Amino acid sequence: MQILFTKESYWLDKWDEFVSNNNRGNHLILSDWLASYKSYGFDFELGICLDNDEIVGGLGAVIAKMGFFKFYIVPHGPIFNEGFENIIAFVIKELVKRAKKVKCCYLQYSLPFSNDAAIASYSYGSDLKDQIEGLGSNGNLFKYVYSSYGINWLSFNETTSAEELLQKFTIQARRNINLGYRNDIQIGYPKSEEDCRLAYKLIEDNAKQSNYSVRAFEDFKTTILSLIDKNKAFLLTVSFNNEIKGAAFIVNCGNYLSYISGGTKKEKPDLNIGYIIHWEAIKKSYELGFRGYNISMGGSQGVLDFKAKFMAEPIFFDHPHYHLIIRSGIFKMYLFLNEYFKKNKAKISRILKRIK
């Protein structure tokens, strides 16, 4: 077994195909997503496990840099094909060596353990934890690179079409979906930079109005446009009277679609645009032959209640986050300064850009 740490374009493309087509794959470790952290002055690399020159597993890592602090963060994984899980311990040892070699003070990774039958093919069984030596300490102490912790899963179960699934929804959900389509709405999939900017502005405006953060388009546009160009993501818009009323960014990875972020214009009468956005994603999931839809974890209580109307079940991974402190003194200094950094993510972004 060989592990290759690389950023060569040849291997980036190979890795992205592996991640996209692997049930344990996740958009957080696609090369374009990892590269998006460059806007913060961070770096990235892949650790690819090869068996007879074939990729059987590996990891995508963000090398976060804040001044003289460096952190080696694997947002999801390492991931492996079925039958190769027994090399996780070997890869973790290699991860420790690599983090030391690039002079990081801290290593963190997030493994998707779960015994929930609904996501069995998308995760590792929780009993695997007991078989891995040197798994590390529980918890994620570095918060500035988003790491996976679960799936908000809408399972299609035995249904064979979106229409069949619709009949299983509550009367209220069915009514609101149908009412939304009675309006003269238009569904769009923007691809040009300017059209994507216009669609994403609605997502940014929604976040600002509701007091939560999303990536700024200028920081994130290279990733968005690249993923769209590679058919690994799409921006979806819902328009009424030639005005965009709703938009969402959705990624295709791991053999399911994941809702990343979205926004709608709050107007009366309510056009039920939020219902339309997710119903379009569900229909596309069926078209692609997927077995479910990840409506995404997190959000306010109102957002969580809305997602639940689609029969989605938030499934938390079983203690997914692990870490190893490599340079204790430096990491303690980071923890002390972190009390200041964590207060304002926007301020952190500005500081990181100045350091860059």
Side-chain angles (χ1 to χ4, degrees):
M1 183 64 59
Q2 175 191 3
I3 182 166
L4 172 67
F5 291 96
T6 182
K7 283 174 60 178
E8 292 182 17
S9 58
Y10 171 82
W11 287 113
L12 295 184
D13 292 341
K14 290 282 189 181
W15 171 253
D16 288 342
E17 285 307 305
F18 173 79
V19 173
S20 295
N21 297 319
N22 191 299
N23 282 356
R24 292 169 178 158
N26 188 287
H27 65 277
L28 299 174
I29 51 175
L30 289 171
S31 64
D32 285 302
W33 197 278
L34 296 169
S36 72
Y37 285 96
K38 286 183 176 180
S39 64
Y40 300 119
F42 295 174
D43 200 357
F44 79 98
E45 68 178 12
L46 307 179
I48 299 176
C49 295
L50 299 170
D51 185 38
N52 294 323
D53 294 326
E54 180 182 350
I55 298 178
V56 296
L59 60 103
V62 177
I63 302 174
K65 296 181 282 188
M66 302 171 71
F68 58 87
F69 301 111
K70 291 178 73 175
F71 313 84
Y72 201 94
I73 311 297
V74 179
H76 180 87
I79 65 166
F80 298 93
N81 285 337
E82 289 189 25
F84 288 88
E85 297 88 349
N86 61 330
I87 62 174
I88 292 180
F90 161 75
V91 172
I92 289 174
K93 289 179 182 177
E94 294 300 310
L95 269 180
V96 175
K97 293 177 186 177
R98 184 62 180 175
K100 288 179 178 178
K101 184 174 182 178
V102 297
K103 299 181 179 179
C104 291
C105 66
Y106 175 83
L107 165 65
Q108 180 177 295
Y109 42 95
S110 298
L111 292 159
F113 295 121
S114 176
N115 282 333
D116 195 306
I119 61 167
S121 63
Y122 306 98
S123 58
Y124 299 119
S126 294
D127 57 344
L128 182 62
K129 284 188 295 184
D130 299 329
Q131 303 171 31
I132 301 173
E133 294 183 6
L135 193 52
S137 300
N138 265 296
N140 56 334
L141 305 182
F142 186 84
K143 309 290 186 179
Y144 302 115
V145 173
Y146 181 89
S147 296
S148 66
Y149 63 94
I151 300 177
N152 200 349
W153 189 243
L154 167 56
S155 177
F156 296 160
N157 293 319
E158 302 303 318
T159 59
T160 58
S161 68
E163 291 70 27
E164 188 178 347
L165 178 70
L166 182 62
Q167 299 310 310
K168 295 180 177 294
F169 285 2
T170 64
I171 293 175
Q172 182 194 36
R174 292 202 306 270
R175 182 185 68 239
N176 289 341
I177 289 170
N178 289 325
L179 284 174
Y181 283 102
R182 288 180 186 174
N183 300 302
D184 186 20
I185 59 170
Q186 302 86 43
I187 306 299
Y189 296 92
K191 292 189 175 182
S192 72
E193 180 174 337
E194 191 52 42
D195 287 344
C196 288
R197 185 192 308 277
L198 184 63
Y200 197 82
K201 185 178 185 302
L202 185 55
I203 297 174
E204 290 180 298
D205 290 345
N206 220 131
K208 192 177 297 182
Q209 292 165 10
S210 300
N211 196 30
Y212 64 88
S213 61
V214 294
R215 298 270 194 101
F217 183 77
E218 286 305 313
D219 293 341
F220 203 34
K221 68 179 181 182
T222 301
T223 294
I224 291 174
L225 296 172
S226 180
L227 288 174
I228 289 174
D229 184 61
K230 296 173 182 176
N231 291 318
K232 297 187 186 304
F234 56 89
L235 271 165
L236 184 153
T237 60
V238 183
S239 300
F240 179 69
N241 289 337
N242 295 315
E243 181 184 359
I244 296 177
K245 299 294 186 178
F249 182 51
I250 297 170
V251 176
N252 180 348
C253 185
N255 295 317
Y256 58 86
L257 297 181
S258 292
Y259 171 85
I260 305 302
S261 56
T264 61
K265 287 197 173 182
K266 305 297 187 290
E267 297 177 329
K268 290 185 179 181
D270 188 350
L271 297 175
N272 295 302
I273 300 299
Y275 284 92
I276 299 299
I277 286 173
H278 289 299
W279 189 244
E280 286 294 320
I282 290 168
K283 289 195 298 181
K284 186 167 285 292
S285 296
Y286 273 98
E287 291 171 11
L288 292 168
F290 295 156
R291 293 185 292 172
Y293 168 54
N294 178 21
I295 202 168
S296 83
M297 300 289 279
S300 66
Q301 189 57 53
V303 169
L304 294 175
D305 291 343
F306 174 71
K307 291 177 180 179
K309 293 178 181 179
F310 292 87
M311 300 195 310
E313 177 190 2
I315 303 172
F316 292 85
F317 296 143
D318 183 7
H319 296 94
H321 306 307
Y322 298 89
H323 69 267
L324 178 71
I325 298 171
I326 298 170
R327 303 172 73 182
S328 178
I330 292 177
F331 188 70
K332 285 180 180 178
M333 189 184 304
Y334 156 73
L335 290 177
F336 175 78
L337 294 174
N338 184 53
E339 290 303 311
Y340 166 74
F341 284 118
K342 72 179 182 180
K343 291 178 182 177
N344 191 314
K345 288 187 177 181
K347 190 178 294 183
I348 290 170
S349 177
R350 291 195 296 270
I351 291 171
L352 291 175
K353 286 179 181 178
R354 290 194 194 106
I355 291 172
K356 180 183 177 183

